[in-house]
Amino acid sequence: MTTSPATAAPSNHPPGAPDLDELRRRAFALRRKMMGMAAGKGEGYIAQGLAMADCLAALYFHEMRHDSARPDWPDRDRFLLSTGHYSIAMYAVLAEAGYMDEALLPSYGLNGSALPMSTFDETVGVEIVGGSLGHGLGQAVGMAMGLRMDGSPARAFCEFSDGELQEGSTWEAAMGAATFRCDNLVALIDCNGIQADGPVTVAIEPVADKMAAFGWDTTEVDGNDMGALVAALAGARAADGRPKAIVMRTTPGHGVPTIVARERAHFVRIADDEWDALIAELEAGNA
């Protein structure tokens, strides 16, 4: 399903009252697309994608100003996916929002595909390459400053993970954003507690308190609660001289209990004969 430009490109004014049921429907549609993209591949980053569906639905179908018919619109809001291995979620939302043909989605992760497991910026609607972690926020600060210098009303939304808080460059960017009063920047911090080889073990908590101490207007929410996400995004519109941070506590595999229960959820291995049952779990939870 695609959206019309009128749906994909809200007006220059703040969005009106959210239709939470519609946003939840969109989030389910994203999860269903992701399951179809991952099925039969044997392994992949499906757990993180499922966890991010609510955030992406809230952004693309309520909060952000964008237009799939004009992907280079200068005053579009920018979404930067720093965790490029979450690309399965990025492709799902771009297809749902009309940026790409859904017929491309089954090629996700295949050799020679235009939809690799980590995003390329050649893909229409993708703003940055999100391969090496720890660089997304720095790029977002630069974009936010550039938009302000151009007099653009656009904002930059940057997703990055709790694992990236182990990178010094992330904290340097956080300091810079506060120093340069980038109130057109919103950080979406995916705190899912996992990294490549298991749980995040470096003492990065309390994330929200640390971001606030760095000068950010900070909110902490359940990242799989649509109402909480929409409310936090509404609060992040204030032009008060402070960058905004939304700390999202997400559950890898959200919507598919069997994946949630996996001990190692970063790069999930799923046998071909498991997919029908997992898709049935997702659909049962949406009934």
Side-chain angles (χ1 to χ4, degrees):
M1 177 179 181
T2 59
T3 59
S4 67
T7 300
S11 71
N12 288 340
H13 302 288
D19 183 339
L20 294 179
D21 287 339
E22 170 63 10
L23 293 175
R24 293 184 185 107
R25 187 192 70 75
R26 294 283 195 177
F28 171 76
L30 299 184
R31 291 187 171 98
R32 188 62 184 82
K33 282 181 172 61
M34 288 183 239
M35 294 294 281
M37 293 162 66
K41 301 297 194 308
E43 57 191 13
Y45 300 103
I46 184 67
Q48 297 96 322
L50 294 171
M52 280 297 296
D54 299 294
C55 175
L56 292 177
L59 285 172
Y60 276 82
F61 303 107
H62 179 64
E63 188 66 27
M64 290 192 347
R65 301 177 314 115
H66 64 104
D67 187 345
S68 59
R70 296 181 295 158
D72 295 327
W73 178 32
D75 286 340
R76 71 189 183 280
D77 289 335
R78 274 71 166 171
F79 175 70
L80 284 69
L81 183 75
S82 184
T83 50
H85 55 290
Y86 290 21
S87 64
I88 192 169
M90 189 81 227
Y91 303 145
V93 78
L94 290 177
E96 181 75 8
Y99 285 86
M100 70 170 64
D101 187 341
E102 292 191 11
L104 289 172
L105 296 182
S107 71
Y108 163 74
L110 299 179
N111 289 338
S113 170
L115 305 180
M117 284 192 178
S118 280
T119 48
F120 287 163
D121 59 354
E122 288 90 350
T123 305
V124 175
V126 173
E127 300 286 353
I128 64 168
V129 175
S132 299
L133 300 180
H135 301 296
L137 186 59
Q139 293 177 84
V141 173
M143 283 191 187
M145 294 177 67
L147 290 168
R148 186 172 62 192
M149 292 171 67
D150 288 342
S152 172
R155 292 185 291 166
F157 294 82
C158 180
E159 177 277 339
F160 59 93
S161 66
D162 47 2
E164 291 180 83
L165 294 175
Q166 298 171 83
E167 299 276 1
S169 57
T170 300
W171 292 108
E172 292 169 8
M175 285 188 285
T179 298
F180 297 114
R181 300 174 61 82
C182 295
D183 56 10
N184 58 342
L185 171 62
V186 181
L188 302 156
I189 309 173
D190 181 25
C191 290
N192 60 21
I194 62 171
Q195 56 188 20
D197 54 359
V200 174
T201 55
V202 172
I204 61 172
E205 297 291 351
V207 174
D209 289 348
K210 289 180 179 179
M211 292 299 292
F214 271 63
W216 290 62
D217 180 4
T218 305
T219 304
E220 184 166 350
V221 299
D222 177 345
N224 298 123
D225 180 329
M226 186 63 73
L229 281 168
V230 168
L233 287 167
R237 297 174 200 151
D240 59 3
R242 293 185 295 169
K244 311 300 186 291
I246 301 175
V247 178
M248 306 182 302
R249 302 291 175 178
T250 65
T251 300
H254 184 83
V256 185
T258 296
I259 297 180
V260 172
R262 294 282 171 105
E263 183 176 353
R264 296 180 67 86
H266 178 77
F267 193 70
V268 181
R269 287 167 173 80
I270 298 173
D272 288 353
D273 60 2
E274 293 183 87
W275 281 103
D276 287 346
L278 295 178
I279 292 171
E281 281 187 17
L282 175 66
E283 293 179 344
N286 192 60

